[in-house]
Amino acid sequence: MATITGPLSGDAKNTVAEALQGALVDLIDLSLVAKQAHWNLVGSHFRALHLQLDEVTQLARTHMDTIAERAVALGISPDGRSATVSRSTKLPQPESGWIEDGKVAATMTDILDGISKRMYERIQATEEADPVSQDLLIAVTQELDKQHWMFQAQR
Amino acid sequence: MATITGPLSGDAKNTVAEALQGALVDLIDLSLVAKQAHWNLVGSHFRALHLQLDEVTQLARTHMDTIAERAVALGISPDGRSATVSRSTKLPQPESGWIEDGKVAATMTDILDGISKRMYERIQATEEADPVSQDLLIAVTQELDKQHWMFQAQR
Amino acid sequence: MATITGPLSGDAKNTVAEALQGALVDLIDLSLVAKQAHWNLVGSHFRALHLQLDEVTQLARTHMDTIAERAVALGISPDGRSATVSRSTKLPQPESGWIEDGKVAATMTDILDGISKRMYERIQATEEADPVSQDLLIAVTQELDKQHWMFQAQR
Amino acid sequence: MATITGPLSGDAKNTVAEALQGALVDLIDLSLVAKQAHWNLVGSHFRALHLQLDEVTQLARTHMDTIAERAVALGISPDGRSATVSRSTKLPQPESGWIEDGKVAATMTDILDGISKRMYERIQATEEADPVSQDLLIAVTQELDKQHWMFQAQR
Amino acid sequence: MATITGPLSGDAKNTVAEALQGALVDLIDLSLVAKQAHWNLVGSHFRALHLQLDEVTQLARTHMDTIAERAVALGISPDGRSATVSRSTKLPQPESGWIEDGKVAATMTDILDGISKRMYERIQATEEADPVSQDLLIAVTQELDKQHWMFQAQR
Amino acid sequence: MATITGPLSGDAKNTVAEALQGALVDLIDLSLVAKQAHWNLVGSHFRALHLQLDEVTQLARTHMDTIAERAVALGISPDGRSATVSRSTKLPQPESGWIEDGKVAATMTDILDGISKRMYERIQATEEADPVSQDLLIAVTQELDKQHWMFQAQR
Amino acid sequence: MATITGPLSGDAKNTVAEALQGALVDLIDLSLVAKQAHWNLVGSHFRALHLQLDEVTQLARTHMDTIAERAVALGISPDGRSATVSRSTKLPQPESGWIEDGKVAATMTDILDGISKRMYERIQATEEADPVSQDLLIAVTQELDKQHWMFQAQR
Amino acid sequence: MATITGPLSGDAKNTVAEALQGALVDLIDLSLVAKQAHWNLVGSHFRALHLQLDEVTQLARTHMDTIAERAVALGISPDGRSATVSRSTKLPQPESGWIEDGKVAATMTDILDGISKRMYERIQATEEADPVSQDLLIAVTQELDKQHWMFQAQR
Amino acid sequence: MATITGPLSGDAKNTVAEALQGALVDLIDLSLVAKQAHWNLVGSHFRALHLQLDEVTQLARTHMDTIAERAVALGISPDGRSATVSRSTKLPQPESGWIEDGKVAATMTDILDGISKRMYERIQATEEADPVSQDLLIAVTQELDKQHWMFQAQR
Amino acid sequence: MATITGPLSGDAKNTVAEALQGALVDLIDLSLVAKQAHWNLVGSHFRALHLQLDEVTQLARTHMDTIAERAVALGISPDGRSATVSRSTKLPQPESGWIEDGKVAATMTDILDGISKRMYERIQATEEADPVSQDLLIAVTQELDKQHWMFQAQR
Amino acid sequence: MATITGPLSGDAKNTVAEALQGALVDLIDLSLVAKQAHWNLVGSHFRALHLQLDEVTQLARTHMDTIAERAVALGISPDGRSATVSRSTKLPQPESGWIEDGKVAATMTDILDGISKRMYERIQATEEADPVSQDLLIAVTQELDKQHWMFQAQR
Amino acid sequence: MATITGPLSGDAKNTVAEALQGALVDLIDLSLVAKQAHWNLVGSHFRALHLQLDEVTQLARTHMDTIAERAVALGISPDGRSATVSRSTKLPQPESGWIEDGKVAATMTDILDGISKRMYERIQATEEADPVSQDLLIAVTQELDKQHWMFQAQR
């Protein structure tokens, strides 16, 4: 079987592997949580949140691919299987059933706040280890922070 | 909180709810499994399978939305959270790490075969209960069967 | 004058004619009622409903054409003149003048609920008579039920 | 309930209200009459007229929105309900059933001739009252006159 | 050599195989006959028919692919070779040389009438055997019936 | 240095110069005020207003160019520098810092009401002097009045 | 032979006929003169003028169609044959052979100045006779004046 | 003044210059004649011919540019001024005023027949002199012959 | 019935008629053979060949139209009926049933080699008779040779 | 009123706030100054500079939005009002009236040089405080430096 | 290893191989020289030449691919490696460092003049050997001559 | 002659000049090497590699422009002439003639590995000297590493 190797090795590779796998799980579960809310949402602000949640899923899907493919390019096998996501996610999970709009705005604010904090740690952790991976983490963080603001603003 | 009601009730609604929730879990996990293989694939047929797996994820994402929103339109709350998917999925799960191209083609053939069989049961189950939901299940089955053929053909 | 004939005749043709003419009137009047609300709407949720109502008009316009042209293809002359619509419509009519957003959401929910019920009857009625026409009725019902849910959700 | 006010008041507002409401009814019924002919048309010139009639419906739909929204912007509630259209339309109504191509060209020529005449009166009436509304009426008249010519040319 | 298998077997598979192969031959020959008329057409209605015949070829090409690929997905090898088409086609064949517009409209009406009748039989035959294949046959029949009407209308 | 001359001179030119320069300042400051609100907005109606304010900036930017280039085409040098805008603007200025949604709707209603009134004066002033410039002022006023209505409607 | 009639008659029609025919000849010859310069241009500013001249031809072609079709819609037969254009054009004609860039800028400035003056006369002449035709003349004049400025600016 | 020189000189250049200038005049006048008929056309086949004539103008405009720019690239100054066209055109000119559809089809057939004949002579004349110019003449002739056939077919 | 005549007659016309009719049959049968392989293909290189075969069908469809319409423009009636194709095709026919990828590459190489040889003969045959038709045959040969290379390269 | 908070606090937040507000004022005034020159430009290089200045306005508008929204995402209220811009801008202001092309190139070179210097200081200042904001400043600086070069090159 | 063979052999193949390889080197080096000037250009005509040079690179890139792939289709291995280009190019090479606009126009005129001359020789050389390759050489020569003219015109 | 200066000077400028010139040569030669393989490739995996190699050329072309224009913006004259590339390239050069697919995958893996290593050195070298240039180098490295992985995966 072909082996994939990339520009990193040793500690640098381990550091980046951890950062990217963590980011991957955050983004996959964000895409699922946002869809869950997109579907189960009720309330007078339905349309605004319904559409914004799809933007969140869209950005999560775009960046999960970039992050996972960066891992592969470094010779790191990414793990995005449902069991892995469900076991290792750090996102607070929504209850089952219908969710009111106010609660969605508050919950998404909290979820995005948590992801942003972890992304900042990953940005710091990868600065020396791999500026190329860091640049991708910076790009996703900018978009997550923007969504965080917009959910906050309409709480 | 607003209550969502639709054209069905009683047994018909329960039958359709079960069919749609089952289809939803199949499609979400299909999207994750295909991405996992898209990323971890190695072998001389890499490019062909890498691209085809993205088509599978794309079709799974498109149809998971249609299926879940049909459930909502019937007053049925869909559940697409990672824990639910991981707990109730019927898809055989890929091992972690790199996967060879031949194995991917074989695995995807099996996975799609299983989903197609369950979809045919759902098509039968919903025929009386809700021809509108049935029509959506027929549409997704056609695309799944097509992917099933194409993975088979290149085993 | 050319005569238009199609694959149906006798009772089957009559059954389908009634179903399609009924659907046509429902869709034309839905397009007018949604525009009326689109224009006369006031309230803090103005923008969300203003845009959604245009989606309703758009889907009504698209499907009225498909339905009427199916009738023609069967040799059935469709009647979409304003007097016919006004005389035979079953849609509860909005009052003249400005309409508040909450009332619009409630009214549209009721209107779409009524159309969906009639569409389900037409789906049943045409199943034996003409599965091709039935398929078009199923397609429009799916979109109507989706709009019905979204107005409900934001009442 | 929010009140909508605009730049006009008194006689000017009344004059413009009458002009815009008249134009709105003309355009809505034109969209319905053109569709009716689009569907029920027969004759060797079928395709040319079938396509041109859809252009008429399209222009009527585009301008009915502009006209109605101008009314709203002036604080005038437009009325485009089917009963209003059916009761106040000045368009000669087509008979039910199939219509031959030659008759369609002649009928559409007459209908557009009538609308153009009324539009010219509205252009004159609004010149002092509201040049902004007048400009919209001029724009729609130009397109109506063009269609009028093209139906004439192929009688 | 890889074997292609799908969700059907036994009588159901045979029934569907016959329906899809029959539809395939109808559609391939329709695409050729329509092109033949598209090229050899003369008469004052040249342009209308010339353009409409290309729409027929286009729809025949689109659906022949869908139908043949459905067959493959069921493990049925489709046969679209020129000898097969020429030997098994049921379409009345146009004479060689120039064809007048009136004759084209009449011929195409007859050809489409025949295909529609066979398609209705296939829709009925596949209802139990495979609702997924049936749905594709319904979709193509709707478009064929529409073309049938439009050629009829301009005879 | 090239001199730019156009079709007007004398009083007519002065009248039009004043109208266009006034419109230019109104539109530039409108683009800035709308962006300021777009960024500083908070409240449960955030998304609707955030998006609508960008439409306002967009229309202001489009028309400021048309207006300024009309001035140049008449040999009138337009002045759109920040000091000129800040010194001569007639728009009530928003306070610094975050702004609540309700206040934004009310403020924008007032601002647009003021601009519309001044635009009507300019339309009247340029009628004799230059119907070409007048036509551009009419076009921008129509769009401003439409935005005025939509902010009003959701106060 | 079909006769084309429109909303005007008598003096009004004659006035508008003269204005539109004059505008038509101006625009056709402008399109030819600009192409002639586009091809025969030399000089260090070649590229800028070569591209701008094509914009002039493009605008002349767009508006000649609008103007001529307005004439037809009024029952006035437009005359755009080469002999008519060559005999009645008021545009100063370029010499044959290569033309230097500075001369092109100067010549186009003069030509557009002349057309603009005649267009202003036509705008005045049609104000009472037909505001719909006047509106088209205003629109073309705005674009001509803009080109006039831009050639001036680079003399 | 810059002088433009290209790959040809002497007799070859003269031969090509004559061929390209002749083609240019044919194409410019074709664009004008087709527009003249596009505007002045009446008759029951109005729409088909009205649209086809615009295709002729479009192809004439595209190729006149290619032909003239080939001349320039060879150092030959093309002459497309209205007086030159009017004086040297070989196209039979339409009468002024309205033209019936049958006459248009016949006239355009004759005009295109004449241009095609001259183009064949130019193709032969340039074969030795400049195969690059010949290739452009071949390309335009193919499109002209196609239009010639289509007008013929509907006489 | 209208007669179609073009720029050729006598031997030249016969020569070109034979070349174009031969090319037409080659291209129609190529489109069918490539689709047959596109559907019946199996093997690990499935995806690459499946997609390339569709490119072949696409180019065959595009050029069969150009070739047939050139024939018509010369007054030659093309014959593309299935019986004609099946009887006169020179393409070696694939066996029925599934085809392995290696065999497809080899077969397509042979088929394209044969067509290219015949096209070269046609290019030679038409050089004197009609350079316009020759140019179309050259264009299609270039694309066929390119496909020929790419199938060869992956045998 | 909702409060907006982001990932920064204390000195880091203040540092970034100052950098982003400074960049915002630079970019807003750049968009106004470039438009001022776009409109008031004269000289033989008019077209090149006229178009390039619009690119500058376009990039300034795009990045002012990114920069201001980054501030908001950090809980920092941006201030882009005309008075703020006019009072705090560091851009040398153009004189009123027409501006010659040579002077525009020189002035824009100076203005962009100044902004680039301040941007480099902001890039340095935010490196520790917020790498996400720094990345946006780097992106805008790259585009500004490119424009700086291109104005320089044509002085 | 697969061998690539095409329709030519012997002297014809050698002749064409030499022509295509020569054209390939010309086009690759043209793409590099034009980019070199695109980057190093200074002078008041910067923008016009900067953009035109990119058009040259674009056309060189497009045609180098067509030329090289024609070679491959004939079984001729093309050589586009940097050492080959650098060793065998016949293009006069620009000096390193900044280049003034006037010099660029003159240099590009010379370079294109030389390539055109060589292309004409290749067109002649391939006429008998391979009319299909000749047609591609004709097409690229036409575009090169056009660029040659435009650089000449602005010297 | 205009001098180009940018934000850097002294050692920083020299460091960045070396990094950017090195990257430029890497990217230009990568574009040529990838095209060479794109054309000369044979083997059963032809299509996959043929297409991927074009993606490599495309990314090399895009980034060579960004890198060279960054150099210019810093006042550094980039050198991309064929002799410079051929003399200073560090890419192992492919042999002339046909290349088998397996060898291409291996060679491209090595080439991209080498470029990536040099890019990482340039990223480190420019970190202090110019973060704006560094950001461009990071962006290109990410895409190169991705291609490196994909060639590796299919060796």
Side-chain angles (χ1 to χ4, degrees), chain J residues 70-89:
Chain J
R70 180 65 195 161
V72 180
L74 296 169
I76 300 158
S77 163
D79 187 348
R81 296 170 298 168
S82 55
T84 304
V85 173
S86 141
R87 190 181 58 241
S88 61
T89 183

Side-chain angles (χ1 to χ4, degrees), chain E residues 35-36 40 65 77 80-81 94, chain I residues 35-36 40 65 77 81 94:
Chain E
K35 269 291 175 199
Q36 179 75 3
N40 284 286
D65 213 57
S77 164
R81 295 169 300 168
Chain I
K35 268 292 174 199
Q36 178 75 3
N40 285 284
D65 213 55
S77 163
R81 295 170 298 168

